[in-house]
Amino acid sequence: MKITVFSAQPYDRTFLDDALERAGDRLTTVELIYQQATLSPQTAVLAQGSDAVCVFVNDRLDAPVLERLAALRVRAIFLRCAGFNNVDVAAATRLGFFVARVPAYSPEAVAEHTLALVMTLNRHTHRAWLRVRDGNFALDGLLGITLCGKTVGIVGAGRIGLATARIFHGIGCRVLGYNPTPVPELARLGEQVTLDALLRESDIVSLHCPLADDTHHMINRDTLARMKRGAMLVNTSRGALVDTRAVVDALKSRHLGFLAIDVYEQEENLFFHDRSSSIIDDDMFQLLLTFPNVLVTGHQGFFTVEAMREIAHVTLDNVRCFVDGGECGNRVIDA
Ligand code: NAI
């Protein structure tokens, strides 16, 4: 069985090859064909001759791409990620694709990155590092707040949201959680509240819900206005949860105090690639980078050794289920 692995970076190859070797006899018929290209209508042809594709967060699996893959006789899609907002599930169902994902590889990895972003932005360690290297030991501009005792609002109290809640609870923050369904663990860590109460009371609002029709631009002009003046917004979930234009305006009006993002609405043209020698043709992104109170990382929340191992291991487990025809609990579309 041949699988074209799209958006393959050197580290993907390392971890997938290692997992394949560990799988031993169970997956001897599997051949992984690595492609650095992102899956799109133009690159779908690279899957020619393969039975399946293996994709990541910025690979596009909309109806036209899925139809092209189906025409090439590709039958399965293995996502190396948890979110599947990039897959047109209705089209994939209609075309009979087997679609499986890695639902949880290391919620703590993303939660810890969230903490890193908050700590960095609050205490300006990224700016301090640059200053000290330049022999500048002045503290002006590096003033932070003590996080202990502050209120942190977790939007989406699932695996990552709860791992984040545990961390902030651990450093003495008051934790508020918003989730459409009851989450009993929140009572131990803080309180489950309405979105309105969370926005009104939180010093830090951290997004951990999936991107779907009802969460698209959930942070917009209206919800930003309901946040505390000077609060910090953190998004390590999906870029389109946030209306970037509205956030820029809220930063300019000084209503939003800080912004930390690991994801960006138009990130597929930027993230995971070295663009240091190119002109970045995205005015909104470039504008964001000019604010001293904005911190951007390039979708690296998941990027730990443990998470990469787990992604590779579970992806190949999903492949084995497809090959053997066995039960697969990680299917995005039920058979
Ligand atoms: P999960 O499925 O365990 O939790 C999501 C939670 O959001 C659930 O409790 C669900 O009830 C809740 N939810 C659904 N609709 C909501 C709404 N309208 N408002 C508030 N909450 C809502 O998912 P998990 O594993 O915690 O992942 C969350 C998201 O994190 C993923 O969907 C993905 O977009 C993102 N992610 C980001 C990574 C990164 O590297 N930055 C890596 C992995 C995931």
Side-chain angles (χ1 to χ4, degrees):
M1 163 158 172
K2 288 188 178 167
I3 305 174
T4 300
V5 183
F6 282 93
S7 298
Q9 298 291 343
Y11 44 83
D12 292 306
R13 185 187 278 256
T14 303
F15 285 95
L16 280 168
D17 282 351
D18 185 55
L20 191 58
E21 205 179 307
R22 278 165 199 267
D25 291 347
R26 289 177 296 135
L27 285 175
T28 40
T29 57
V30 171
E31 185 189 341
L32 301 173
I33 301 154
Y34 294 100
Q35 296 289 352
Q36 218 186 350
T38 302
L39 178 58
S40 69
Q42 293 73 35
T43 60
V45 67
L46 293 170
Q48 184 139 35
S50 282
D51 308 282
V53 294
C54 179
V55 297
F56 198 46
V57 289
N58 291 329
D59 289 306
R60 225 168 88 191
L61 293 121
D62 55 13
V65 169
L66 290 169
E67 272 153 23
R68 269 175 218 204
L69 291 177
L72 294 171
R73 295 175 204 266
V74 169
R75 291 173 297 131
I77 296 160
F78 301 105
L79 295 148
R80 307 196 290 284
C81 51
F84 53 90
N85 52 281
N86 52 339
V87 183
D88 182 333
V89 173
T93 310
R94 173 170 52 82
L95 294 163
F97 279 106
F98 176 102
V99 187
R101 65 183 179 129
V102 184
Y105 28 93
S106 176
E108 289 76 19
V110 184
E112 288 169 18
H113 189 67
T114 304
L115 178 72
L117 290 176
V118 171
M119 292 290 197
T120 306
L121 196 49
N122 175 41
R123 301 302 291 272
H124 312 280
T125 39
H126 55 316
R127 301 178 71 200
W129 184 78
L130 285 170
R131 276 192 196 185
V132 169
R133 282 167 61 95
D134 198 29
N136 176 358
F137 305 101
L139 298 183
D140 193 38
L142 302 183
L143 191 66
I145 55 167
T146 302
L147 291 177
C148 182
K150 297 296 180 299
T151 302
V152 178
I154 305 287
V155 180
R159 281 169 283 233
I160 297 171
L162 281 175
T164 309
R166 276 182 228 117
I167 290 176
F168 282 105
H169 175 70
I171 59 169
C173 293
R174 173 181 174 231
V175 173
L176 300 179
Y178 166 67
N179 203 80
T181 51
V183 181
E185 196 183 339
L186 271 177
R188 196 179 58 77
L189 300 167
E191 244 181 288
Q192 184 158 356
V193 296
T194 61
L195 181 59
D196 203 46
L198 183 148
L199 295 172
R200 204 175 48 239
E201 293 184 35
S202 299
D203 301 294
I204 298 169
V205 172
S206 192
L207 306 179
H208 301 286
C209 55
L211 176 62
D213 289 346
D214 66 324
T215 57
H216 183 263
H217 284 188
M218 73 186 302
I219 299 298
N220 49 44
R221 268 170 224 289
D222 171 50
T223 42
L224 282 162
R226 286 191 265 150
M227 282 174 67
K228 255 189 179 176
R229 187 172 178 83
M232 182 188 292
L233 176 66
V234 188
N235 187 8
T236 56
S237 194
R238 284 290 181 268
L241 294 176
V242 170
D243 176 350
T244 313
R245 178 78 257 175
V247 161
V248 165
D249 289 344
L251 286 164
K252 282 164 88 173
S253 72
R254 318 301 197 259
H255 181 73
L256 185 64
F258 299 89
L259 173 73
I261 54 174
D262 185 47
V263 288
Y264 172 64
E265 210 170 347
Q266 313 299 340
E267 70 175 49
E268 64 274 13
N269 300 324
L270 300 170
F271 290 1
F272 308 123
H273 304 287
D274 180 359
R275 301 273 189 238
S276 56
S277 303
S278 334
I279 289 169
I280 293 178
D281 190 13
D282 182 332
D283 295 352
M284 194 63 76
F285 186 76
Q286 295 294 71
L287 180 59
L288 273 179
L289 297 185
T290 65
F291 291 89
N293 51 348
V294 172
L295 182 62
V296 182
T297 52
H299 208 139
Q300 67 174 87
F302 69 99
F303 201 47
T304 66
V305 169
E306 292 76 6
M308 289 300 291
R309 269 197 199 127
E310 187 66 9
I311 289 172
H313 171 74
V314 175
T315 299
L316 291 184
D317 236 30
N318 291 339
V319 170
R320 194 176 45 75
C321 286
F322 175 68
V323 172
D324 295 351
E327 270 294 297
C328 178
N330 298 332
R331 287 187 75 166
V332 170
I333 303 165
D334 290 327

